[in-house]
Amino acid sequence: MLNYATRVAVRSRGWLSNLPPSMCDELLHEAVAIRLPAGHRVFASGDRAEGLWLCASGYVRLSRASGGRRRTLSYAAEGDLVGASGFFLGTQECDAHVHRDVTLLFLGRTELQRRLNQWPQLSQAMLTVLAHQVRCLGEEVCDARYLPLDTLMAKRLAELGSQHGQPMHPGGTANRIKLAMAQSELGELIGYSRQHVNASLKRLERRGLIAVTACGIVVHDPEGLRA
């Protein structure tokens, strides 16, 4: 189910990017490829973690519900691990839903644990992924606590444009965020209501930093957003 281009892309970023090609090939050979449509639930918080998921294409939204509200933790894209913390804890600590039609590679617990014991380099790569996730969550907690809404919005849009941006024109600086999030979903990512998100986007748009189009949010000035 994986063509050559997808295999190369999966091996070039995220968890597998620092592993030898032979090791990557063995893991990909042992994985089970599954295609799922948008909206499908991959797992729910509290589910037993039977293994680990690797995103080969598309997007998976990781979120958690609390106090009657849902908060998006992150979006997993090509090369990203899904359910890494749950694998070590034994149960999943968040919900995972397909945001856009996705191809996932599933590595079963028994086989993956054998590989982790066999290849210390693989364990180190997973620890690096988990450490990065902890750092990002720490930054997000501080941002939500101390940054004004427009500053927080600018920072998140700059990150989304960098991670998931698609150039509008060859050689240009404008990037369309491929995630194609509704304003309510963007609100769940930064912890604000859709009304607050709408007002903040309009203010950033008036400054020429972004454009809200029918095809999604276009980042015109990434450096301006970062500033």
Side-chain angles (χ1 to χ4, degrees), residues 28-77:
L28 293 176
H29 179 73
E30 294 167 354
V32 177
I34 302 173
R35 287 182 180 151
L36 299 173
H40 185 92
R41 189 179 74 181
V42 182
F43 55 74
S45 178
D47 285 354
R48 176 177 170 78
E50 302 292 350
L52 188 68
W53 302 86
L54 178 66
C55 188
S57 65
Y59 294 97
V60 176
R61 182 171 74 114
L62 304 174
S63 65
R64 180 180 292 167
S66 178
R69 298 182 61 183
R70 182 163 293 278
R71 178 67 188 272
T72 298
L73 303 175
S74 64
Y75 286 88

Side-chain angles (χ1 to χ4, degrees), residues 208-221:
L209 300 173
I210 65 167
V212 180
T213 72
C215 297
I217 297 175
V218 177
V219 176
H220 284 299
D221 186 357

Side-chain angles (χ1 to χ4, degrees), residues 177-195:
I177 298 175
K178 294 186 295 182
L179 278 172
M181 292 182 292
Q183 291 188 8
S184 58
E185 293 173 326
L186 186 54
E188 291 175 355
L189 182 64
I190 66 173
Y192 279 87
S193 68
R194 185 185 63 80
Q195 291 79 6

Side-chain angles (χ1 to χ4, degrees), residues 1-2 6 27 76 80 83 111 128 134 161 173 190 193 198 204 209 215 221:
M1 293 177 67
L2 299 182
T6 301
L27 286 173
D80 292 336
E111 186 59 29
T128 300
V134 170
T173 59
I190 66 173
S193 68
N198 181 266
L204 295 178
L209 300 173
C215 297
D221 186 357

Side-chain angles (χ1 to χ4, degrees), residues 7-221:
R7 286 178 176 271
V8 171
V10 168
R11 291 187 305 191
S12 65
R13 61 164 294 176
W15 181 41
L16 302 182
S17 60
N18 294 320
L19 299 179
S22 59
M23 192 179 296
C24 293
D25 288 339
E26 286 196 50
L27 286 173
L28 293 176
H29 179 73
E30 294 167 354
V32 177
I34 302 173
R35 287 182 180 151
L36 299 173
H40 185 92
R41 189 179 74 181
V42 182
F43 55 74
S45 178
D47 285 354
R48 176 177 170 78
E50 302 292 350
L52 188 68
W53 302 86
L54 178 66
C55 188
S57 65
Y59 294 97
V60 176
R61 182 171 74 114
L62 304 174
S63 65
R64 180 180 292 167
S66 178
R69 298 182 61 183
R70 182 163 293 278
R71 178 67 188 272
T72 298
L73 303 175
S74 64
Y75 286 88
E78 192 176 81
D80 292 336
L81 287 177
V82 179
S85 58
F87 175 80
F88 288 104
L89 294 172
T91 57
Q92 303 295 352
E93 44 34 89
C94 65
D95 302 324
H97 291 85
V98 177
H99 182 71
R100 179 181 290 182
D101 292 1
V102 71
T103 298
L104 293 173
L105 305 178
F106 179 74
L107 295 161
R109 170 174 291 277
T110 301
E111 186 59 29
L112 181 55
Q113 189 63 62
R114 183 178 71 83
R115 289 301 190 186
L116 289 170
N117 294 334
Q118 179 184 1
W119 297 333
Q121 193 172 354
L122 183 63
S123 299
Q124 182 63 48
M126 187 174 287
L127 286 174
T128 300
V129 169
L130 292 171
H132 177 72
Q133 291 177 354
V134 170
R135 182 175 66 183
C136 289
L137 288 174
E139 289 180 358
E140 289 174 7
V141 169
C142 291
D143 290 346
R145 173 71 174 170
Y146 298 113
L147 293 184
L149 170 57
D150 286 2
T151 306
L152 178 61
M153 179 69 75
K155 182 174 182 178
R156 289 292 173 268
L157 291 179
E159 291 171 350
L160 291 172
S162 174
Q163 297 168 1
H164 311 297
Q166 182 180 48
M168 298 291 291
H169 306 287
T173 59
N175 285 330
R176 180 179 65 85
I177 298 175
K178 294 186 295 182
L179 278 172
M181 292 182 292
Q183 291 188 8
S184 58
E185 293 173 326
L186 186 54
E188 291 175 355
L189 182 64
I190 66 173
Y192 279 87
S193 68
R194 185 185 63 80
Q195 291 79 6
H196 283 93
V197 167
N198 181 266
S200 180
L201 290 174
K202 287 181 177 178
R203 289 191 290 269
L204 295 178
E205 193 169 23
R206 284 195 294 269
R207 296 176 63 179
L209 300 173
I210 65 167
V212 180
T213 72
C215 297
I217 297 175
V218 177
V219 176
H220 284 299
D221 186 357

